[in-house]
Amino acid sequence: EPEVTQTPSHQVTQMGQEVILRCVPISNHLYFYWYRQILGQKVEFLVSFYNNEISEKSEIFDDQFSVERPDGSNFTLKIRSTKLEDSAMYFCASSRTGGAYGYTFGSGTRLTVV
Amino acid sequence: AQKVTQAQTEISVVEKEDVTLDCVYETRDTTYYLFWYKQPPSGELVFLIRRNSFDEQNEISGRYSWNFQKSTSSFNFTITASQVVDSAVYFCALSDRKTSYDKVIFGPGTSLSVIP
């Protein structure tokens, strides 16, 4: 069964450093998403991406965040200057027809900012 | 405004018992979608079901069943004859047209422990 692949599974970074989280969505999917889950808390929407541009973003997704689809297969989330409160599990998701039809999530990247 | 409430934070059941996970949602839209996701201890999010606001038929898939009632804004999930592998956090989620179908709002989750 096709899957969304995220790398790395765990990343530790120092506060203030830039970090890039990588995702390979399912190949025929057109909609891409990032969500995050602070430990033990709810899953929160960050951003959606379609047709090479951001379609929706939450208030969490401020100027320190950016997303990019640098080629036909990867979808990245960059955090420019990490803060301690950015420590969370980050999930990438993709969908062929949009959020209304449900997502396929990746297995997540656990980001720890120290 | 959108909101999803899962009042049960943690539930423990003994294997083979039936268990119902409650979900109450709020939306001002008449067109919306409801979802359930499972998060096992390994951490990934697994899609279980999607239901649109125009389809109030209950659904059964093996030991899983879902009861959607618009009159009470509820979308409850029942596991029949629970098994240890059902131990996970279960999230109910909502997206609607007015906010954006692409912005899915998750409830806080219910942690289910099935004891052998």
Side-chain angles (χ1 to χ4, degrees):
Chain A
E1 188 170 327
E3 58 182 30
V4 175
T5 304
Q6 288 187 246
T7 55
S9 57
H10 190 190
Q11 177 144 6
V12 181
T13 189
Q14 288 205 322
M15 192 168 56
Q17 294 293 310
E18 176 182 285
V19 65
I20 297 176
L21 309 183
R22 302 180 190 279
C23 169
V24 178
I26 294 173
S27 61
N28 65 348
H29 283 190
L30 302 175
Y31 298 79
F32 314 111
Y33 310 87
W34 285 100
Y35 281 73
R36 80 171 185 190
Q37 184 182 31
I38 295 171
L39 187 63
Q41 298 187 23
K42 67 168 71 174
V43 180
E44 301 175 292
F45 171 82
L46 290 178
V47 66
S48 60
F49 191 87
Y50 171 71
N51 201 25
N52 284 320
E53 60 183 21
I54 291 173
S55 48
E56 295 286 340
K57 60 182 181 178
S58 72
E59 54 277 5
I60 301 169
F61 194 88
D62 61 21
D63 291 344
Q64 71 160 343
F65 290 93
S66 62
V67 290
E68 197 177 33
R69 189 154 162 81
D71 52 40
S73 59
N74 291 284
F75 180 52
T76 61
L77 174 69
K78 182 192 290 186
I79 309 174
R80 287 194 185 83
S81 178
T82 49
K83 305 174 192 155
L84 294 176
E85 54 264 38
D86 294 326
S87 294
M89 181 75 93
Y90 288 82
F91 291 101
C92 175
S94 70
S95 172
R96 193 166 61 87
T97 48
Y101 293 87
Y103 305 145
T104 301
F105 279 93
S107 54
T109 293
R110 179 165 297 287
L111 176 66
T112 303
V113 183
V114 296
Chain B
Q2 296 172 310
K3 188 176 179 182
V4 177
T5 302
Q6 296 178 255
Q8 305 147 307
T9 307
E10 294 182 9
I11 300 176
S12 285
V13 298
V14 177
E15 202 172 19
K16 296 184 184 172
E17 286 184 347
D18 299 347
V19 59
T20 295
L21 309 183
D22 297 333
C23 172
V24 174
Y25 62 92
E26 290 178 31
T27 174
R28 293 185 186 142
D29 207 339
T30 56
T31 305
Y32 53 89
Y33 292 85
L34 296 163
F35 309 87
W36 277 94
Y37 285 88
K38 173 182 179 180
Q39 187 174 42
S42 50
E44 72 272 24
L45 287 164
V46 179
F47 170 80
L48 294 178
I49 191 171
R50 158 187 170 266
R51 173 67 75 227
N52 75 54
S53 52
F54 300 109
D55 182 3
E56 282 193 79
Q57 270 197 326
N58 292 328
E59 179 149 342
I60 298 174
S61 176
R63 296 184 297 107
Y64 295 171
S65 62
W66 290 270
N67 182 0
F68 176 29
Q69 292 198 333
K70 284 176 77 169
S71 60
T72 55
S73 296
S74 65
F75 186 43
N76 296 337
F77 173 30
T78 297
I79 302 174
T80 304
S82 58
Q83 300 176 0
V84 173
V85 293
D86 296 326
S87 296
V89 180
Y90 291 86
F91 292 98
C92 181
L94 162 74
S95 71
D96 65 29
R97 183 184 51 184
K98 283 184 181 169
T99 303
S100 166
Y101 289 139
D102 278 337
K103 188 175 178 181
V104 176
I105 302 301
F106 283 73
T110 296
S111 177
L112 173 66
S113 296
V114 181
I115 303 163

